Amino acid sequence: MSSYTIPKIAALEAEQKRNLPPFRVGDQVAVHYRIREGEKERVQLFQGVVIAHARGGLGATFTVRKVSFGGVGVERIFPEHSPRIEKLEVISRGIVRRARLYYLRELEGKAARLRQQRGGGSAAVAAAPEDASS
């Protein structure tokens, strides 16, 4: 392998990378994913907690877990740089002390909830000076 192929690969990877909003393990996210059914394409929403994030350049993936109707847990692995991801929204930020939250698989109900971060977001910082002046 010559040294000339590495810049070409890096250029191809940079071209295909996506700029998703920053998210971490423990965050509640809504993934708008384009799926194909026969001849038609539609956007499907998958909302849940990020339980794993495997960073690997262009092959990076993240796993989202939600509890579906009837208490059945559903997990889905999304390629981070997939062109099929229409949009990713971070709904809330969770406070966790682990890199992988596989222990949530065994928990049910209230025990499966994560602590949420309070305020401190960019919206709260922008609103603070206006409240102080009135």
Side-chain angles (χ1 to χ4, degrees):
M1 182 178 244
S2 68
S3 62
Y4 294 108
T5 58
I6 293 173
K8 290 179 183 177
I9 292 171
L12 275 172
E13 282 188 0
E15 183 181 300
Q16 294 179 358
K17 280 196 173 184
R18 299 274 316 258
N19 286 331
L20 294 175
F23 64 94
R24 298 172 48 180
V25 172
D27 291 353
Q28 180 92 17
V29 295
V31 183
H32 298 262
Y33 200 72
R34 248 182 293 139
I35 61 169
R36 189 176 185 95
E37 294 176 334
E39 297 295 314
K40 297 179 183 177
E41 251 189 28
R42 67 182 180 90
V43 177
Q44 187 177 47
L45 179 69
F46 194 89
Q47 185 173 330
V49 177
V50 178
I51 63 167
H53 192 181
R55 293 173 172 87
L58 207 55
T61 61
F62 60 99
T63 305
V64 180
R65 177 180 174 81
K66 73 173 184 176
V67 178
S68 189
F69 183 74
V72 179
V74 179
E75 290 181 11
R76 189 155 179 195
I77 300 171
F78 294 97
E80 191 170 326
H81 301 289
S82 171
R84 293 212 165 267
I85 294 179
E86 193 86 8
K87 178 169 59 168
L88 185 130
E89 297 174 282
V90 178
I91 294 165
S92 64
R93 302 239 175 235
I95 300 172
V96 294
R97 298 171 72 177
R98 303 262 181 276
R100 307 278 187 267
L101 303 180
Y102 298 139
Y103 67 89
L104 290 178
R105 293 172 176 164
E106 279 81 45
L107 301 179
E108 294 180 3
K110 286 186 177 182
R113 292 185 306 178
L114 298 173
R115 290 187 300 148
Q116 300 298 312
Q117 277 186 356
R118 290 202 177 137
S122 58
V125 173
E130 295 173 359
D131 293 339
S133 64
S134 41

